[in-house]
Amino acid sequence: MLLSGKKILITGVANDWSMAWAIAKRAHDAGAEIAMPYAMPNLEKRVRPLAESIGAKFVQECNVQNDAQMDALFGAIEQEWGHLDGVLHAIAFSDKNELTGRYADTTRENFKNTMDISVYSLVDLTRRASKLMDTGGSIVALTYFGGEKSVPNYNVMGVAKSALDSSVRYLASDLGRDGIRVNAISAGPIMTLASSGVGGFKAMLRLNAEQTPLRRNMTLEDVSGAALYLFSDLSSAVTGEVHHVDCGYSSTGMIPNELKDILLKGLDDNK
Ligand code: NAD
């Protein structure tokens, strides 16, 4: 019961494929009480039964671009719990039409919207939550390697993840003196509602599994285990960190020999 008695706000549950749901369940199993809002009305029918299955509270609409809904969520948490120990930020959005083709073609409107939903929301959530973290706390965001290196089709979302990673470091620096830690998990690719919007995602998943040192893709079990560690006191000296849970993908610089041979043969056959 690593999280016994802890109160954790989990954002970003859309359905039972969501990484946030795997993390909510794992945190609940480890003894945490969970707050689980949803982003928009059409998600309620999927999120409410999941929330009920773990006794989660604050199952209310909270679009991070809607200040009144954010006020209402944090007002309700303050009134009923009066305290928070953890927050999971698992929120990202961009226009699907711009998650394919060239980053150079990103529109100003989608750039701003992507950054607002996917990055500023971490700043806003952290500021609001930190006021309730009177005995310290742990804030965990989900990020991706596409913020460190260019990844085909990830485009403006990659730029948003760079800003998210950087925000983690600045927020960690601001809040460390209050015992509040801020970290990100850089998760490997996994099929979810959000990732299905990235052009060519299925092919990317197949290739990724062949390229990682562990020769497989990350699972919900893997990512929720890392979140458990970051929410728990086991990670008490860890802050400002982007922790890769990607089967080692980000540590490599060249495709494995098996793939190299196949690729070169394919190129030769096509000559
Ligand atoms: P998901 O679709 O289950 O979760 C994304 C969530 O963002 C949804 O619950 C959605 O409701 C929420 N959201 C979007 N706009 C919102 C808004 N305006 N207000 C509040 N919430 C909003 O998919 P997921 O893959 O589990 O995504 C969770 C996080 O993990 C995202 O930050 C994503 O970028 C990141 N991530 C995903 C992958 C992957 O391959 N799936 C890899 C690394 C990181």
Side-chain angles (χ1 to χ4, degrees):
M1 298 299 269
L2 274 179
L3 304 183
S4 186
K6 290 195 191 284
K7 293 181 163 44
I8 301 183
L9 167 61
I10 300 279
T11 68
V13 178
N15 54 38
D16 58 0
W17 291 37
S18 298
M19 282 194 270
W21 169 238
I23 293 169
K25 249 191 329 181
R26 190 85 179 246
H28 164 76
D29 291 347
E33 282 185 79
I34 305 296
M36 215 170 98
Y38 53 88
M40 51 206 79
N42 65 341
L43 293 179
E44 182 178 4
K45 63 178 182 302
R46 295 200 194 287
V47 176
R48 191 167 290 283
L50 297 176
E52 280 170 2
S53 73
I54 57 167
K57 293 192 167 153
F58 312 104
V59 188
Q60 59 196 78
E61 188 180 339
C62 186
N63 181 329
V64 291
Q65 291 187 299
N66 184 324
D67 288 334
Q69 291 179 359
M70 289 283 275
D71 290 346
L73 174 68
F74 279 91
I77 292 176
E78 183 172 12
Q79 206 174 10
E80 201 172 320
W81 279 355
H83 173 83
L84 263 180
D85 298 289
V87 176
L88 176 74
H89 177 280
I91 295 170
F93 181 81
S94 188
D95 181 347
K96 196 173 177 279
N97 297 320
E98 298 193 8
L99 297 179
T100 186
R102 306 187 328 159
Y103 172 60
D105 296 326
T106 306
T107 60
R108 176 175 292 156
E109 193 193 348
N110 186 45
F111 184 94
K112 287 204 237 173
N113 201 39
T114 303
M115 296 297 268
D116 186 33
I117 296 177
S118 315
V119 186
Y120 183 71
S121 58
L122 175 68
V123 183
D124 200 8
L125 279 169
T126 298
R127 189 182 52 254
R128 290 168 182 272
S130 62
K131 293 181 185 146
L132 298 175
M133 292 180 158
D134 46 327
T135 55
S138 172
I139 295 168
V140 178
L142 295 181
T143 187
Y144 175 60
F145 180 70
E148 297 169 54
K149 305 283 179 197
S150 68
V151 170
N153 299 327
Y154 204 57
N155 299 352
V156 64
M157 189 52 76
V159 175
K161 291 306 190 193
S162 296
L164 188 75
D165 296 355
S166 185
S167 296
V168 162
R169 292 184 281 271
Y170 277 92
L171 293 168
S173 170
D174 283 348
L175 297 169
R177 72 198 68 185
D178 302 321
I180 299 171
R181 302 181 291 109
V182 187
N183 293 288
I185 293 173
S186 181
I190 187 166
M191 186 55 85
T192 61
L193 198 60
S195 63
S196 64
V198 179
F201 190 75
K202 272 192 186 154
M204 179 179 156
L205 263 184
R206 277 192 61 195
L207 271 177
N208 191 76
E210 301 299 330
Q211 283 187 67
T212 68
L214 295 181
R215 296 293 192 276
R216 67 172 178 87
N217 283 326
M218 182 210 74
T219 64
L220 291 174
E221 191 76 6
D222 294 322
V223 71
S224 61
L228 185 62
Y229 159 74
L230 287 174
F231 280 131
S232 81
D233 298 339
L234 289 179
S235 58
S236 49
V238 180
T239 195
E241 186 74 8
V242 175
H243 175 58
H244 293 87
V245 181
D246 62 355
C247 300
Y249 181 89
S250 57
S251 69
T252 63
M254 176 60 76
I255 57 174
N257 284 339
E258 309 95 272
L259 278 190
K260 220 187 297 170
D261 295 342
I262 294 168
L263 182 66
L264 290 175
K265 184 172 179 320
L267 288 176
D268 290 345
D269 287 353
N270 274 331
K271 268 195 182 148

